[in-house]
Amino acid sequence: MAATTAAIAETDAPRRRRADRSLPTAGRIRRANVERLLDAAEAVFAEKGYGGATTAAIALRAGLPKANLHYYFRTKEQIYRAVLDRILGLWLAAFDPATAGDDPAAVLEAYIRAKIRLSREHPQASRVFAREILSGALHIRGYLVGDLRRWVERQSELMRGWIERGLMDPIDPVHLLFVIWAATQTYADFDAQIRAVTGKRAQSHEDYTRAADTVVQLVLKGCGVQR
Amino acid sequence: MAATTAAIAETDAPRRRRADRSLPTAGRIRRANVERLLDAAEAVFAEKGYGGATTAAIALRAGLPKANLHYYFRTKEQIYRAVLDRILGLWLAAFDPATAGDDPAAVLEAYIRAKIRLSREHPQASRVFAREILSGALHIRGYLVGDLRRWVERQSELMRGWIERGLMDPIDPVHLLFVIWAATQTYADFDAQIRAVTGKRAQSHEDYTRAADTVVQLVLKGCGVQR
DNA sequence: TAGCGTCCTGACCGGTTGGTCAATAATCGC
DNA sequence: GCGATTATTGACCAACCGGTCAGGACGCTA
């Protein structure tokens, strides 16, 4: 779950009377409020960015007084890290399924569709992640140079194997992954542009399906894997 | 140039003594300082976002006192709009060249390479643009539903013609454009992620060339146009 | 129902922010 | 070189922001 730093709100009691006292059962009220706050924070960070977000706005959106937010998360930075942690958990879960198997088309298609589903189901998470990278990815550098980099290397190895066996055109696997990430996340991150250009008020379920179809078609044929 | 609203700094004297007095020649000092401020603002907005940017930081980066910034741009909002205007001018200029012609491969390849060159030469502009869309694109909605939308419709018409004449696979032209935009801009916007994953300190000229090659290869073969 | 830990929150605070202003200096047209 | 415009800037201000705190409310367990 917690990829870089622990989500402090869940391990740190309000203000521990004694040095270390493990929370007994981490009360249900706490759990519920923390979740409401994280949801609200994700939405506000997605829309306004870290600098533009205010703890007051987050608390308001969560339906709690600002002081209550600061009871669970001591600082704005802390709730931001907790939001990022939750997002990385989501991302990692989506990465795992695609591993070995000698069917490039199936693996690539499944991965692309999973990523687009993520864009549709968690657009705000995607936007917070995008903003974090735009800001230099300081908070998630550990994840990027650790888990993610290893995942990319493994996946690249796999693809190079496919290429050697003639199952796939010679194409730079790393750049292929960058393109797939970009093409799938754009449906969450650049939603406003897509809506403006297409004249739709919102992307429908069919729009996402058509997007996935297009990306799958483009990538599979583009790197010459048989369906 | 000014796509949505006029860059006010260039038409609005310090505090006009009388209602409207057109600036005589818009002095060279003004022009130079405005440009320095826009450069600095673009960098700060790209790195920190609108909410995270401060007029003090922009002025500092431009090497001017904050009060001097507010002499040329009355509000933070105003300098932000001016930065966006400059970016849209850049974007529009890059859009134009690709028009008619019956060689899909040449048109697509030229467009992709032009977009990637833009990512390399103006990464900060790209990031400001990305952040604006993430924030809902409120300031550039006019551009998106106007110029850009018309451009997309024209380009889609062209592609549909190619498809009918069998020069290109049947593929949704609008989604194809979204994918091209995403795949090319990712090299500017997600630079931090790319550097972290590849372990490089900076993307080199060759990296960009390889990126362009990969995207071109993927798109051309992916939608079945002959090179 | 007593007692204790958890939860809640209005009021408050120092620092920062966007923006103003009046006084001064530089530049320009003539 | 002289008046008028344009440019410069330190000092200042009200609003807002993140964060604190004291003290009371609530919810468990025995």
Side-chain angles (χ1 to χ4, degrees):
Chain A
M1 289 296 148
T4 49
T5 48
I8 291 156
E10 289 173 13
T11 63
D12 201 25
R15 213 156 311 148
R16 315 186 199 168
R17 311 279 158 146
R18 284 187 190 88
D20 56 340
R21 178 201 292 263
S22 61
L23 270 211
T25 46
R28 58 174 232 293
I29 295 177
R30 163 173 289 262
R31 218 189 308 267
N33 280 342
V34 163
E35 196 183 346
R36 291 175 66 184
L37 286 166
L38 288 179
D39 288 345
E42 186 176 282
V44 174
F45 284 132
E47 192 177 340
K48 309 275 190 186
Y50 182 81
T54 65
T55 54
I58 294 171
L60 183 70
R61 186 165 186 130
L64 296 171
K66 189 183 65 153
N68 207 351
L69 179 153
H70 283 282
Y71 169 71
Y72 289 108
F73 300 94
R74 270 204 281 274
T75 66
K76 180 182 170 183
E77 168 87 15
Q78 207 163 84
I79 193 172
Y80 179 65
R81 299 191 94 101
V83 167
L84 280 181
D85 266 358
R86 208 172 58 154
I87 292 171
L88 294 189
L90 215 61
W91 259 227
L92 283 171
F95 276 159
D96 275 329
T99 42
D102 270 352
D103 187 356
V107 171
L108 286 176
E109 175 164 4
Y111 182 60
I112 290 168
R113 293 200 187 273
K115 285 284 293 178
I116 287 208
R117 192 180 334 115
L118 220 53
S119 278
R120 179 168 49 96
E121 289 171 2
H122 301 280
Q124 284 163 338
S126 183
R127 278 171 218 147
V128 173
F129 186 82
R131 284 195 129 105
E132 168 63 16
I133 294 176
L134 280 169
S135 299
L138 300 180
H139 299 88
I140 59 170
R141 178 146 288 160
Y143 162 75
L144 295 180
V145 304
D147 286 346
L148 186 60
R149 185 173 180 181
R150 278 189 292 276
W151 184 89
V152 166
E153 276 164 7
R154 237 189 315 126
Q155 221 64 16
S156 298
E157 256 344 288
L158 187 63
M159 290 192 209
R160 272 187 276 272
W162 292 342
I163 292 171
E164 277 169 21
R165 277 180 284 157
L167 297 174
M168 183 172 154
D169 289 351
I171 204 168
D172 189 314
V174 177
H175 283 288
L176 176 58
L177 286 174
F178 291 159
V179 169
I180 291 176
W181 290 348
T184 51
Q185 282 185 221
T186 198
Y187 287 96
D189 302 344
F190 278 19
D191 173 64
Q193 185 179 38
I194 290 172
R195 284 188 287 110
V197 166
T198 59
K200 301 195 175 187
R201 196 175 306 173
Q203 295 186 72
S204 69
H205 203 298
E206 289 78 38
D207 291 328
Y208 278 100
T209 303
R210 176 169 310 198
D213 290 343
T214 304
V215 176
V216 167
Q217 178 184 347
L218 213 58
V219 168
L220 293 199
K221 181 158 186 182
C223 53
V225 309
Q226 301 296 333
R227 224 169 172 169
Chain B
M1 292 292 148
T4 50
T5 48
I8 291 155
E10 289 173 12
T11 62
D12 202 24
R15 215 156 310 147
R16 315 186 198 168
R17 310 280 158 146
R18 282 185 194 89
D20 56 339
R21 177 202 292 264
S22 61
L23 268 211
T25 46
R28 57 174 232 291
I29 295 177
R30 164 171 289 262
R31 219 188 309 267
N33 280 341
V34 163
E35 196 183 346
R36 290 175 67 184
L37 286 166
L38 287 179
D39 287 345
E42 185 177 282
V44 174
F45 284 134
E47 192 178 338
K48 310 275 189 185
Y50 182 82
T54 66
T55 54
I58 294 171
L60 183 71
R61 187 166 187 129
L64 296 171
K66 189 184 66 154
N68 208 349
L69 179 153
H70 283 284
Y71 169 72
Y72 288 107
F73 300 94
R74 269 203 282 273
T75 66
K76 181 182 171 184
E77 167 87 15
Q78 205 162 86
I79 193 172
Y80 179 66
R81 298 192 94 101
V83 167
L84 280 181
D85 266 358
R86 210 171 57 153
I87 292 171
L88 294 190
L90 214 61
W91 259 227
L92 282 171
F95 276 160
D96 276 329
T99 42
D102 271 350
D103 188 355
V107 171
L108 286 175
E109 175 163 5
Y111 182 60
I112 290 168
R113 294 199 186 273
K115 285 284 296 177
I116 288 209
R117 192 179 332 115
L118 219 53
S119 278
R120 178 168 51 95
E121 290 172 0
H122 300 279
Q124 284 163 339
S126 183
R127 278 171 218 146
V128 173
F129 186 82
R131 286 196 127 105
E132 167 64 16
I133 294 176
L134 281 169
S135 299
L138 300 180
H139 299 88
I140 59 170
R141 178 145 289 160
Y143 162 75
L144 295 180
V145 304
D147 285 347
L148 185 60
R149 186 172 179 183
R150 277 190 293 277
W151 185 88
V152 167
E153 276 164 6
R154 236 189 316 126
Q155 222 64 15
S156 298
E157 255 344 288
L158 186 63
M159 291 192 208
R160 271 187 276 272
W162 293 342
I163 293 171
E164 277 171 21
R165 275 179 287 156
L167 298 173
M168 182 172 155
D169 290 351
I171 204 167
D172 189 315
V174 177
H175 283 288
L176 175 58
L177 287 173
F178 291 159
V179 169
I180 291 176
W181 290 347
T184 52
Q185 284 186 220
T186 199
Y187 287 95
D189 302 343
F190 278 20
D191 173 64
Q193 185 179 36
I194 290 172
R195 285 187 287 111
V197 165
T198 59
K200 302 196 174 186
R201 196 174 305 172
Q203 295 187 71
S204 69
H205 203 299
E206 288 78 39
D207 290 328
Y208 279 101
T209 304
R210 176 171 310 198
D213 291 345
T214 304
V215 177
V216 166
Q217 178 185 347
L218 212 59
V219 168
L220 293 200
K221 180 158 185 182
C223 53
V225 309
Q226 300 296 332
R227 220 166 174 174

